[in-house]
């Protein structure tokens, strides 16, 4: 991966070379004499390809990049992907404590081994409120969207939707979007009495977040429009950080520009949940349509350029590097990541399934959507061992991988559906339906995991505990 060098640093280096005359006219102890007019013109210096990523030095740099982006048709932003067990989610498990988002609150629960109880809750959301005036309208709400838990700490990531418009005297409508991501850190050493530590925020909507080596990485993204820059020098729409309600626009040295990028930007911030502090932040103007975050870092995939702008989490500071895509198109890489493949080593080629995972050391379970439902196949290599077709209400299962449970030892397969879960057991070479679990919640909230030796199927409305050996139902709780 080639690391880029900011253009301003290159120019500063050139100005310090012997014989170069910078502003002020002094290099060492001598000043070069002017070249006579009659002298032969110097040979043109060889042109170098501009750096793919350069530091933003002024508003003019940003405005020029945005004008070029606005002149092109932007690709639509894809759904961001956060991969791995450390990724932020609607539930967070730490020991015998489960944190669960329910509406505008975070439930604090204790369980495992077939037990479950609600200890309390943290109210973090704000209901929708709107204010109408003669010359405009404004609305705002706040809802938690993801959680991360570690070492007696809880990070709650929320989306504040805050937007409206004003009508100016000339009759022009001016739309303002002040939506942002809020990161709230809590001390949960005593889970029944969580203590607020700090509240931070970053402009844009939540994209991806995960915890790595005790640090919380949060990426947001936002699209910029020409209407948001009515006057030269207006930086109110540029990437910004919040401490409580106090807002600070990023300094130029904290922003990079992706050459020939889009009108989107990505803002990446690093937090220390244990200390309750924000450590570092960096914004990339021109990137943000496709976003994948995993333990290695944050990657922004360019569909048209075939390149990847990436921030490595293994480095001491946030520096952006650009490299060709590992293989295939940006869409293919996202699809590979969604299937559970190592997208960074993806070799390209058409995939035959929408999701797959190892069943055991030799066999693989794969899901493939059909027009009428979901095709489930257990195979070894290319040989199909058994298969079944389930109904249309299971079609979204490939996008809801955390709601899928596989246990080869007991032959169990649990899939999320639109109205709950369905449990199958592999017996005598075929999948046989065992039981169904009902819940009125939305299917994207379904999660299944092993907790204290028992299987738990959880969403924001119902909790089920199962004994894998049966699988017998150990308990059911309505939230």
């Amino acid at each position: 991966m080639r690391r880029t060098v900011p253009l301003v640093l290159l120019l500063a280096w050139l100005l310090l070379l012997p014989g170069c005359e910078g502003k002020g006219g002094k290099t060492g102890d001598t000043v070069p004499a002017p070249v006579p007019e009659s002298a032969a013109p110097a040979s043109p210096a060889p042109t170098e390809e501009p750096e793919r990523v350069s530091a933003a030095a002024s508003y003019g740099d940003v405005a020029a990049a945005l004008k070029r982006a606005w002149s092109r048709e932007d690709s639509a932003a894809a759904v961001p992907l956060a991969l791995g067990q450390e990724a932020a989610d609607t539930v967070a498990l730490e020991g015998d404590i489960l944190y669960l988002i329910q509406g505008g609150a975070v439930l604090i629960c204790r369980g495992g081994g077939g037990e479950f109880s609600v200890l309390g809750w943290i109210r973090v959301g704000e209901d929708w409120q709107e204010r109408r005036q003669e010359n405009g309208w404004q609305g705002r709400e706040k809802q938690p969207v993801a959680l991360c838990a570690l070492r007696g700490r809880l990070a709650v990531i929320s989306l504040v939707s805050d937007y409206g418009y004003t009508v100016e005297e000339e009759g022009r409508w001016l739309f303002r979007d002040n939506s942002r991501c809020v990161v709230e850190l809590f001390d949960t050493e005593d889970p029944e009495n969580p203590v607020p530590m700090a509240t931070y925020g970053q402009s844009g909507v939540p994209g991806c977040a995960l915890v790595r080596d005790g640090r919380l990485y949060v990426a947001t993204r936002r699209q910029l429009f020409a209407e948001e820059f009515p006057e030269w020098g207006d930086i109110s729409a540029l990437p910004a950080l919040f401490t409580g309600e106090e807002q600070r626009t990023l300094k130029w040295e904290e922003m990079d520009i992706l050459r020939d990028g889009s009108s989107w930007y990505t803002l990446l911030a690093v937090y220390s949940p244990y200390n309750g502090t924000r450590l570092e932040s960096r914004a990339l103007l021109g990137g943000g349509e496709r976003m994948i975050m995993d333990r290695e870092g944050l990657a922004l995939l360019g569909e048209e350029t075939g390149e990847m702008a990436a921030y490595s989490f293994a480095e001491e500071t946030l520096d952006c590097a650009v490299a060709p895509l590992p293989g295939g198109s940006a869409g293919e890489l996202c699809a590979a990541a969604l299937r559970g493949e190592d997208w960074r080593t993806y070799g390209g080629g058409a995939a035959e399934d929408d999701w797959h995972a190892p069943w055991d050391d030799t066999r693989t379970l794969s899901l493939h959507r059909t027009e009428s439902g979901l095709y489930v196949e257990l195979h070894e290599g290319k040989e199909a061992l058994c298969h079944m077709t389930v109904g249309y209400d299971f079609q979204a299962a490939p996008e809801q991988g955390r709601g899928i449970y596989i246990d080869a030892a007991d032959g169990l397969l649990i899939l999320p559906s639109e109205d709950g879960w369905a449990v199958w057991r592999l017996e005598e070479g075929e999948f046989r339906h065992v039981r169904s679990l009902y819940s009125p919640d939305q299917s994207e909230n379904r999660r299944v995991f092993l907790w204290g030796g028992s299987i738990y199927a959880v969403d924001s409305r119902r909790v089920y505990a199962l004994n894998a050996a049966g699988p017998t139902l150990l308990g059911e709780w309505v939230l």
Side-chain angles (χ1 to χ4, degrees), residues 122-124 126 140 142 154-158 160 180-186 195-202 241-247 271-272 275-278:
I122 308 172
R123 177 69 180 179
V124 293
E126 299 174 8
R140 171 189 166 109
K142 175 189 172 190
L154 175 68
V156 181
I157 301 170
S158 300
V160 174
R180 63 184 185 270
C181 169
V182 172
V183 179
E184 296 172 274
L185 303 178
F186 295 87
V195 179
M197 298 178 64
T199 299
Y200 298 100
Q202 49 193 90
L241 298 174
F242 296 81
T243 302
E245 291 296 325
E246 181 181 351
Q247 179 178 352
Y271 301 87
S272 172
N275 297 321
T277 58
R278 180 168 50 212

Side-chain angles (χ1 to χ4, degrees), residues 68-264:
R68 289 193 297 268
W70 291 330
S71 67
R72 301 185 298 269
E73 183 177 352
D74 267 343
S75 57
V79 175
L81 301 175
L83 308 176
Q85 294 297 321
E86 299 168 311
D89 195 15
T90 56
V91 299
L93 187 62
E94 183 187 15
D96 64 344
I97 301 298
L98 175 73
Y99 302 96
L100 171 67
I101 292 177
Q102 185 187 71
V106 177
L107 299 185
I108 305 172
C109 312
R110 174 172 279 128
E115 301 295 329
F116 185 83
S117 61
V118 177
L119 301 180
W121 52 276
I122 308 172
R123 177 69 180 179
V124 293
E126 299 174 8
D127 295 333
W128 176 261
Q129 296 180 354
E130 58 183 58
R131 182 177 69 256
R132 296 183 179 273
Q133 303 176 11
E134 292 183 2
N135 65 333
W137 170 88
Q138 191 77 20
R140 171 189 166 109
E141 71 176 357
K142 175 189 172 190
Q143 293 297 323
V145 295
L147 307 170
C148 277
L150 76 163
R151 296 186 304 174
R153 298 292 186 267
L154 175 68
V156 181
I157 301 170
S158 300
L159 170 61
V160 174
S161 301
D162 185 352
Y163 48 84
Y165 68 87
T166 56
V167 181
E168 299 183 339
E169 293 181 358
E170 301 83 5
R172 184 182 64 173
W173 286 40
L174 183 60
F175 178 78
R176 287 290 188 184
D177 186 353
N178 300 314
S179 300
R180 63 184 185 270
C181 169
V182 172
V183 179
E184 296 172 274
L185 303 178
F186 295 87
D187 181 333
T188 55
E189 292 286 354
D190 180 1
E192 297 189 47
N193 297 284
V195 179
M197 298 178 64
T199 299
Y200 298 100
Q202 49 193 90
S203 58
V205 298
C208 296
L210 59 75
V211 171
R212 180 187 188 273
D213 297 335
R215 292 186 170 190
L216 172 65
Y217 295 83
V218 180
T220 54
R221 61 182 181 180
R222 187 182 188 280
Q223 188 172 16
L224 298 173
F225 301 94
E227 295 78 8
E228 295 181 287
F229 297 84
E231 299 178 2
W232 181 261
D234 182 6
I235 61 173
S236 60
L238 291 180
L241 298 174
F242 296 81
T243 302
E245 291 296 325
E246 181 181 351
Q247 179 178 352
R248 175 182 75 82
T249 301
L250 263 66
K251 302 174 183 177
W252 299 123
E253 57 265 28
E254 297 174 301
M255 290 187 280
D256 295 316
I257 297 176
L258 180 63
R259 182 169 62 87
D260 298 329
S262 68
S263 62
W264 290 80

Side-chain angles (χ1 to χ4, degrees), residues 53 258 284 287 298-302 307-311 320-323 325:
V53 174
L258 180 63
L284 179 64
L298 172 68
L300 306 171
L301 284 57
E307 292 180 329
M308 178 177 72
Y311 292 91
C320 186
V322 178
L325 294 178

